[in-house]
Amino acid sequence: MGSLTRTQRQRAVRLTLYALFVLLAVAFVLVADWEAISSSFFLVEGFTGTWQDFVFVGARNTILYTIIAFVGGFVLAMVLVLMKLAPVAPFRWLATVYIELFRGLPALVVILFMALGVPIAFGWRPPGGTIGAGLVGLMLVAAAYMAETIRAGIEAVPKGQTEAARSLGMSGPWTMATVVMPQALRIVIPPLTNELVILIKDTSLLFVVGMAANEKELTTMARDFMASGPSAGTATSLVFACLMYLAITLPLTRVVAWLERRQKRSR
Amino acid sequence: MTTRLHPTKEVDHGAPAIEVRDLHKSFGDNHVLTGIDFHVNSGQVVCVIGPSGSGKSTLLRCVNRLEEPTSGQVLIEGIDITDPETELDAVRSRIGMVFQQFNLFSHMTVLRNLTIAQQRAKKRSRTEAEEIARGNLDRVGLSDKVDAYPAHLSGGQQQRVAIARALSMDPDMMLFDEPTSALDPELVGDVLDVMKTLAGEGMTMMVVTHEMGFAREVGDKLVFMADGVICEEGDPREVLANPREVRTQEFLSKVL
């Protein structure tokens, strides 16, 4: 080895790594049971026979539930942020307690609480049935995360902006609405889009509340097509659901990356 | 339009534009101002100099209560702004302020920067506000920048826009907090020229600055601060040429 130059050594290491990769790939192809893989994960009938349900019911509902939870969560988050900035201390405490509570609990537990616990205790009939109650749970959790994100955005707006507005005689609320908030929201667009991606995946938790045929989102649909239908007894429907999730989330994560690059440039 | 500044007191145009009585300001254990008595008469240009940490910016920021005084009084045209009954926003709209870091609203065009507070705080119509804004941009020599965003302007241009923004509120007086300290040397002149013109027009001005030339040329009074108190004050040419206090002599020997 001592007689090799630096470049030669580097080339040798790279070749070894390539060889190792090829070896692993070949081993995988030889060892894998292709018969079993294709019949349990990629059953053709499973795709051709269910795609309409997956696209027009499953994906549609997943997107619908995401939008409802996101919009509801955003509105609630704005209320929480304003409470956190309130001059009256009890409002600040309340917002802090809320945020710490819902960030500290698993979303699944909150969903179960809203869908099962609260209706049983108070005879509450949530709008939209159990699924509506589950969505309220998702919304409550999303609001806690979004409130923290938006608050960080507000703190990232330089203090001089507020001082300039106040020195011109603008009131506190007007300063917040026309000077601070517009700049803060621009700052939090990438992290909020990230929040949206997380929420898309978290709608799968609604699986636990149970839903009628036309209410099913992707995960419930996949689970049910494992038990019945053209691909029953195989995991083909799970693979289908995975592909649908990726078709929604991957473009969005690309958008987040683009937004972040653009924001870095404009600074 | 007249907004009442105080439920019972009236503006007294005979009183000093700015009067500060026994002003104290502490941040925790840090006593930044320890008993300031000070006034600016209407039409005067008063320059405040001193080493960094002497409290001169804090004093300026107490004048429009961006900084809450710990004790003491600040009177603007005879109205005590430390009195909770005073309509602070209405008083502030009569006091223009220019910051070291310009603080233009970065998400708004130059024109919008100049009109937003006119519309929100002075309740002017959009047309009226824009007309006044264009007039003031013309005054600072930037009428071609109405639609630009602050990020596309040089520091000197941004500071002149900031001055035009403050002037658009028709203030009775202007506060300047080290207006040229963040500027590249070659851009300082344009800003100082605008300030000199303002002074020439009779604007009441309180200027925290390191520009001794400006103080000598246009100042009616020079105030030297150190360690939270006013050490020496008087005619700028006199103080700069023959400082009486040792502290002033030391400072001036370093900066002149």
Side-chain angles (χ1 to χ4, degrees), chain A residues 24-89:
Chain A
L24 283 171
V26 168
F28 177 73
V29 168
L30 290 179
V31 169
D33 183 347
W34 290 104
E35 188 62 27
I37 288 175
S38 75
S39 65
S40 50
F41 293 121
F42 298 99
L43 200 69
V44 178
E45 301 89 303
F47 289 95
T48 54
T50 62
W51 72 269
Q52 282 166 318
D53 286 316
F54 265 105
V55 174
F56 297 119
V57 181
R60 192 202 70 145
N61 282 336
T62 290
I63 291 170
L64 182 69
Y65 297 160
T66 306
I67 291 171
I68 293 173
F70 187 80
V71 172
F74 182 81
V75 171
L76 186 53
M78 289 297 282
V79 173
L80 287 168
V81 167
L82 293 177
M83 283 171 70
K84 268 219 122 156
L85 300 170
V88 183

Side-chain angles (χ1 to χ4, degrees), chain A residues 159-172 174 178-180 182-183 186 266, chain B residues 61 64 66 89 92-93 95 97 99 103-108 116-117 120-121 165-166 169:
Chain A
K159 223 170 157 265
Q161 296 283 308
T162 307
E163 289 183 349
R166 298 309 304 270
S167 79
L168 288 163
M170 282 171 69
S171 68
W174 270 119
T178 62
V179 174
V180 180
Q183 297 188 60
R186 197 174 298 183
S266 71
Chain B
R61 290 162 59 84
N64 66 354
L66 275 188
D89 289 340
R92 277 175 174 162
S93 71
I95 312 173
M97 180 152 185
F99 300 84
N103 294 349
L104 293 180
F105 306 133
S106 53
H107 61 306
M108 296 178 187
I116 178 97
R120 300 295 173 225
R165 176 173 69 178
M169 302 299 286

